[in-house]
Amino acid sequence: MATNRSVKGNFVYNNIEKIGKNFMYKNFERSNCYNCNFSNSNFNYTSFRGAHFKSCDFFQSTFKWAEFIGTNLKGSDFKNAIFENAIFDSVNLAGVDFKDAEFKNTIFLSTDVNSAKNFDAEKYDIKIYDKMPKLELSDELETAVKDVMENKYVKKSRVLDTKDGHINIINLMILLENFDEKSLIKGFNLIEAELDCDFYTLSYLIKFLKKNM
């Protein structure tokens, strides 16, 4: 094992077994793993932003609210894995095997699902977008989003903006599924004023709002 110094707490794993481990809430940003066995592990509420997990085995692992953003999963095995409220954004799925995997309310954006194996888009509870969808925003909501991104922890997390600096419409749509617009604007104001710690996933913001509103 070698530590990935680019992001505190992350790592590089090669040719090892980590079976049945609890990785809940882990930030895997820019981690690099090859040919590792993570079978029966818990990856709920994790971020795989910019990570490389190639030729790894995730048999029967769980990925509730997991976020794969710019992730390279080439050749990995997700047989019987469970995905719920997960996001795949600009992910390399070449040769990835999803045989008997379960998907619930999962989003694929700018990701070639046809490069994966045993992936039947018709039978899964998923949404596929070739590119970022459009959403008409009220002036009040757009202002609230831009204001909340002035919070240094929100800005650092990158959950509300895209790599080119635009509003992340997918994540905003998810927030609007959990809160009405008026409540969300109020929540953004609360986040801007009171959120004072590092976080890595949209699920953290949802949890924060539900707890504090």
Side-chain angles (χ1 to χ4, degrees):
M1 182 187 77
T3 301
N4 181 343
R5 298 176 182 271
S6 62
V7 179
K8 183 178 179 181
N10 283 9
F11 48 75
V12 175
Y13 285 154
N14 291 301
N15 303 304
I16 65 167
E17 291 196 354
K18 289 284 184 178
I19 298 174
K21 299 298 182 180
N22 183 9
F23 295 106
M24 186 181 289
Y25 301 115
K26 178 70 179 176
N27 178 24
F28 289 104
E29 183 178 354
R30 297 199 297 275
S31 287
N32 198 325
C33 298
Y34 175 77
N35 195 36
C36 298
N37 189 349
F38 297 103
S39 295
N40 296 291
S41 293
N42 181 348
F43 291 93
N44 298 341
Y45 307 98
T46 52
S47 171
F48 290 86
R49 182 182 293 270
H52 295 258
F53 279 74
K54 297 188 291 184
S55 300
C56 292
D57 191 349
F58 296 97
F59 176 72
Q60 287 188 338
S61 293
T62 60
F63 299 89
K64 295 180 180 179
W65 289 99
E67 296 182 10
F68 300 88
I69 314 295
T71 312
N72 186 354
L73 299 175
K74 184 178 180 180
S76 287
D77 185 344
F78 290 89
K79 293 188 184 78
N80 296 95
I82 298 174
F83 300 90
E84 184 175 343
N85 297 312
I87 298 174
F88 290 78
D89 180 354
S90 306
V91 177
N92 182 356
L93 296 180
V96 171
D97 195 346
F98 288 112
K99 185 178 180 180
D100 296 324
E102 297 180 22
F103 294 88
K104 182 178 180 181
N105 197 34
T106 294
I107 292 174
F108 291 83
L109 169 66
S110 302
T111 297
D112 182 12
V113 297
N114 293 319
S115 64
K117 297 188 295 184
N118 297 307
F119 186 92
D120 185 353
E122 295 299 323
K123 77 173 187 177
Y124 297 137
D125 180 14
I126 62 174
K127 297 176 183 176
I128 299 176
Y129 300 95
D130 292 332
K131 59 183 179 180
M132 188 69 72
K134 295 182 179 181
L135 179 67
E136 291 294 328
L137 305 181
S138 67
D139 292 340
E140 293 82 1
L141 181 55
E142 185 172 357
T143 298
V145 176
K146 291 179 178 178
D147 287 346
V148 76
M149 284 194 286
E150 294 300 315
N151 178 291
K152 68 177 183 179
Y153 298 103
V154 174
K155 186 175 182 179
K156 182 180 178 181
S157 75
R158 300 298 311 281
V159 301
L160 293 180
D161 66 322
T162 62
K163 63 182 180 181
D164 54 8
H166 297 306
I167 294 173
N168 189 318
I169 297 300
I170 287 288
N171 283 354
L172 191 57
M173 288 168 58
I174 294 171
L175 286 167
L176 288 169
E177 289 176 356
N178 287 270
F179 308 95
D180 61 67
E181 181 175 314
K182 183 178 179 180
S183 297
L184 187 56
I185 292 171
K186 180 181 178 181
F188 280 155
N189 293 333
L190 180 66
I191 290 170
E192 182 185 6
E194 297 188 11
L195 195 150
D196 59 357
C197 63
D198 287 327
F199 68 98
Y200 315 106
T201 63
L202 182 67
S203 61
Y204 180 88
L205 284 189
I206 294 173
K207 183 178 178 180
F208 179 91
L209 291 174
K210 289 184 176 180
K211 180 180 178 180
N212 292 283
M213 288 176 60

